[in-house]
Amino acid sequence: AVVSTQSTGTSQLLDERSEEKLRKACNFAKWNPFPIDFWSSASKLPKLSYVLNCSSVCNSIVSECDNAVLKFHAGAYLHWFEQHGVMKDEFLDAFETCNDLVKSYNYFCT
């Protein structure tokens, strides 16, 4: 994998051990020969961002969505959202979108 530093335009290879650990931790889509890219910043607060294409994100999406659904059904914070124009139907649409996203990832990554 190549790590690109945006501010200087330089690139360096991610060490093979770190890249291999990442590959093992993520269930990359088999059809993608370059499933991961990295960007770093040489600013005062160094940052490293990475973009990857894998199905392991599904677990995080499901977990967050399940948590949000539980809070929704408990009525947690709904009055705050309604005060700002976000109605219950919008939550239901968002939950459906999350489910569709996970189904799509599972379909294309298996």
Side-chain angles (χ1 to χ4, degrees):
V2 175
V3 178
S4 299
T5 305
Q6 294 172 343
S7 61
T8 63
T10 61
S11 299
Q12 68 185 56
L13 288 175
L14 180 69
D15 69 82
E16 289 181 30
R17 184 172 176 218
S18 297
E19 184 176 354
E20 188 59 31
K21 281 184 178 181
L22 229 110
R23 287 184 180 278
K24 286 182 179 179
C26 299
N27 183 22
F28 292 120
K30 292 173 181 64
W31 53 263
N32 188 346
F34 306 106
I36 190 163
D37 288 312
F38 296 88
W39 296 277
S40 63
S41 170
S43 66
K44 291 180 182 178
L45 297 172
K47 299 174 187 143
L48 174 68
S49 300
Y50 63 95
V51 177
L52 53 95
N53 188 358
C54 71
S55 61
S56 64
V57 71
C58 291
N59 294 337
S60 296
I61 295 170
V62 168
S63 175
E64 291 299 320
C65 194
D66 286 349
N67 190 22
V69 168
L70 287 173
K71 288 180 181 179
F72 174 79
H73 287 300
Y77 308 107
L78 287 180
H79 65 285
W80 288 105
F81 286 101
E82 290 171 352
Q83 283 180 347
H84 295 283
V86 180
M87 299 297 139
K88 291 180 181 181
D89 287 345
E90 292 175 84
F91 281 94
L92 298 174
D93 289 344
F95 299 147
E96 188 174 336
T97 299
C98 286
N99 289 331
D100 290 345
L101 179 65
V102 170
K103 285 179 190 174
S104 293
Y105 259 103
N106 287 332
Y107 176 78
F108 287 110
C109 293
T110 56

